[in-house]
Amino acid sequence: MGASGGNTISERRTSPRTPLLLPAKLVCVYGTVDCIVLDLSAVGALIKTASPLSVGASAYLRAGPFDIFVAGVRIASRSRAYALTGILFEDRLTQAQIKELRSYGRNCIQAERRASYEKAREWWECDGD
């Protein structure tokens, strides 16, 4: 325990976080923004967006087959290029839902790589027409 008497964030976690790279959308009163889910637990996640979701603000996270009601709980980092925001889920995710989201994330990355490969191949095989 530190001098402040508080616990570290990792000591307070009620659910372990799993690293993830999942493209998603954050839908709030200001509009819909693209985001990346960087890690995920049963109770929340860390997302990367162009600008942070304000602490206390509510939104929907559209991730794969799920629409999850969330609230911003902390701004982890803000740079010129992106913001990292900690979000809390209104309803706890089940282990089956977490597994499905992880699988969806892996499939998205593989599909993106295949599409990039196919575009490069088409360019390479182009006969200059």
Side-chain angles (χ1 to χ4, degrees):
M1 203 179 298
S4 66
N7 295 332
T8 65
I9 289 173
S10 61
E11 291 170 335
R12 293 182 295 192
R13 293 224 188 276
T14 59
S15 181
R17 292 195 179 250
T18 301
L20 189 66
L21 285 174
L22 174 66
K25 303 251 185 227
L26 190 64
V27 182
C28 59
V29 295
Y30 303 109
T32 301
V33 295
D34 292 327
C35 68
I36 303 287
V37 179
L38 299 175
D39 69 28
L40 177 73
S41 77
V43 297
L46 180 66
I47 60 171
K48 179 179 176 181
T49 57
S51 59
L53 178 65
S54 300
V55 173
S58 298
Y60 273 102
L61 179 68
R62 291 193 171 149
F66 298 100
D67 280 351
I68 306 163
F69 191 69
V70 304
V73 291
R74 69 183 174 91
I75 297 172
S77 173
R78 191 184 317 209
S79 74
R80 289 183 178 201
Y82 63 87
L84 299 178
T85 306
I87 56 174
L88 182 66
F89 302 146
E90 180 179 60
D91 295 318
R92 186 180 187 94
L93 297 181
T94 65
Q95 287 302 315
Q97 289 171 317
I98 292 170
K99 185 177 178 180
E100 188 172 349
L101 283 169
R102 289 180 68 200
S103 176
Y104 180 84
R106 279 192 303 273
N107 291 338
C108 284
I109 290 169
Q110 290 170 352
E112 188 175 296
R113 285 181 184 154
R114 276 194 301 273
S116 294
Y117 173 79
E118 289 300 320
K119 284 183 181 180
R121 187 177 188 152
E122 288 172 11
W123 176 82
W124 183 257
E125 293 175 350
C126 178
D127 61 2
D129 290 341

